[in-house]
Amino acid sequence: MASARLDDRAAAHVVTVVAAQLGGPWLDLDARLARLVAATSQAADAGADLVVFPEAYLSGYPFWMMRTESGTRFDDPDQKACYAYYLDSALTVGGPETRTLAALAGDLGVTLMVGVSERPERAGRGSAYCTLLTVAPGAGVVGVHRKLVPTFDERLVWAPGDAAGLRTHDVAGVQVGGLSCWENWMPQARQVLYADGELVHVSTWPGSPALTRDITRFAAIEGRQFHVAVGGVLGAGDIPDDFPLAAELRANAAPTTFTGGSAVAGPDGAWLVEPVEGEGLVVVDLDLRRVGQERLTFDPTGHYSRPDVLVTQVDRRRRGAVSEL
């Protein structure tokens, strides 16, 4: 769909990232996982080191709250049925879907960053989290970052996360970090990733150029790093017939509810790929020498930081209802 390739792709300072701007049947975990597998295979053929997928791609963004009349009505039976349906479509870390992702990463030799709706295995099984998984070849799931603050109506569906997974991960010798949707606007969350050595930042979104047009360039300039934004695609026809409020949701949904918006900016804030719409893959080669060049004038956690007067603290404990002493 879009690309920014370099002639000297074999150089050690180049990492290839593919943003998979996909749609598919909403809340159909198996169908979306199959599309993810196919897209990853195509990305690997293009030389990808890292393939990134939209927010909550597995198995869908909880957009029904904003498109149904009873979305904020307390104890509404239809909303309770919708929530239960959504919970049943979520995956569990360590379950069959994450094992498939681990095998896929290992077989193809690529790292995956996948937005999922996560349902805990035991404690909190009645809750869903907006989670960004990082899956490395040979190591499996190495990152489980739960979105710190769900946005607006999302808070009626997703539980708030913690900083246990707020870390960067090595991809082809490059530290890569990621945040979900509007948590990318949280200055301290970005600062924590910068301080963890982040050179490439990934942001995941439900899918709109309006969401990615400003923050992609802004965060790239602030961190003096590459920023890869990936958005999803969803149309009214993707809503399953057996979803409790399917008819109302279709009636209130535009022909295409989410249209993508994937984009890539360089460490100077210039576009490598401007926000694009529709399904497809965005393939970019990132020359990491450009990060060092731009940090001559600004390094947010180095020569342009003041830890003697400004300090950010992070608690990376996984939060739960019960703590064992």
Side-chain angles (χ1 to χ4, degrees):
M1 179 173 59
S3 65
R5 309 307 303 266
L6 297 171
D7 293 334
D8 187 17
R9 289 175 53 206
H13 52 262
V14 173
V15 61
T16 300
V17 181
V18 174
Q21 185 162 283
L22 300 182
W26 185 58
L27 306 188
D28 187 332
L29 187 54
D30 291 339
R32 287 202 163 194
L33 185 60
R35 297 191 73 161
L36 181 151
V37 170
T40 302
S41 178
Q42 185 179 355
D45 289 342
D49 299 296
L50 172 67
V51 188
V52 299
F53 294 85
E55 181 181 37
Y57 181 67
L58 300 177
S59 62
Y61 180 80
F63 78 109
W64 83 87
M65 284 285 181
M66 70 178 79
R67 302 295 175 93
T68 55
E69 184 179 350
S70 61
T72 59
R73 190 177 301 156
F74 182 76
D75 212 29
D76 180 80
D78 288 333
Q79 290 299 326
K80 290 200 275 191
C82 290
Y83 181 73
Y85 190 109
Y86 190 76
L87 271 181
D88 287 341
S89 77
L91 62 77
T92 298
V93 175
E97 294 81 18
T98 54
R99 291 195 294 271
T100 296
L101 295 176
L104 179 67
D107 290 345
L108 297 179
V110 300
T111 298
L112 306 174
M113 294 182 73
V114 186
V116 306
S117 183
E118 178 202 354
R119 186 178 193 180
E121 184 177 9
R122 293 186 181 179
R125 187 157 175 77
S127 298
Y129 293 88
C130 176
T131 298
L132 182 58
L133 298 180
T134 302
V135 187
V141 177
V142 295
V144 182
H145 172 58
R146 292 174 172 173
K147 189 176 184 178
L148 294 169
V149 182
T151 301
F152 201 53
D153 56 287
E154 294 174 3
R155 299 178 196 185
L156 296 172
V157 179
W158 285 331
D162 53 38
L166 191 61
R167 297 182 180 276
T168 63
H169 301 280
D170 183 279
V171 178
V174 176
Q175 293 304 119
V176 179
L179 297 171
S180 300
C181 201
W182 268 34
E183 92 178 322
N184 285 280
W185 285 109
M186 299 175 70
Q188 290 171 306
R190 296 195 306 272
Q191 179 77 351
V192 169
L193 293 179
Y194 299 159
D196 204 31
E198 189 179 59
L199 300 180
V200 177
H201 182 77
V202 171
S203 62
T204 67
W205 306 87
S208 169
L211 293 171
T212 58
R213 186 165 297 279
D214 293 328
I215 185 64
T216 306
R217 294 186 61 249
F218 166 74
I221 295 171
E222 178 187 66
R224 294 300 202 269
Q225 60 188 2
F226 289 97
H227 187 156
V228 179
V230 57
V233 177
L234 177 71
D238 295 319
I239 300 167
D241 291 336
D242 62 345
F243 187 72
L245 291 175
E248 182 182 359
L249 195 53
R250 289 193 185 113
N252 293 333
T256 303
T257 300
F258 300 120
T259 62
S262 297
V264 183
D268 59 353
W271 288 120
L272 298 181
V273 177
E274 293 194 48
V276 295
E277 297 183 274
E279 284 199 86
L281 303 183
V282 176
V283 185
V284 290
D285 297 327
L286 308 180
D287 185 346
L288 275 299
R289 291 175 299 186
R290 294 189 56 198
V291 173
Q293 293 166 4
E294 295 304 323
R295 288 188 178 176
L296 168 67
T297 54
F298 188 82
D299 180 353
T301 58
H303 63 76
Y304 225 97
S305 65
R306 284 295 305 273
D308 53 328
V309 294
L310 299 170
V311 178
T312 296
Q313 292 182 321
V314 58
D315 182 351
R316 286 201 171 102
R317 290 175 292 178
R318 176 63 80 206
R319 294 296 186 175
V322 174
S323 296
E324 297 184 12
L325 300 178

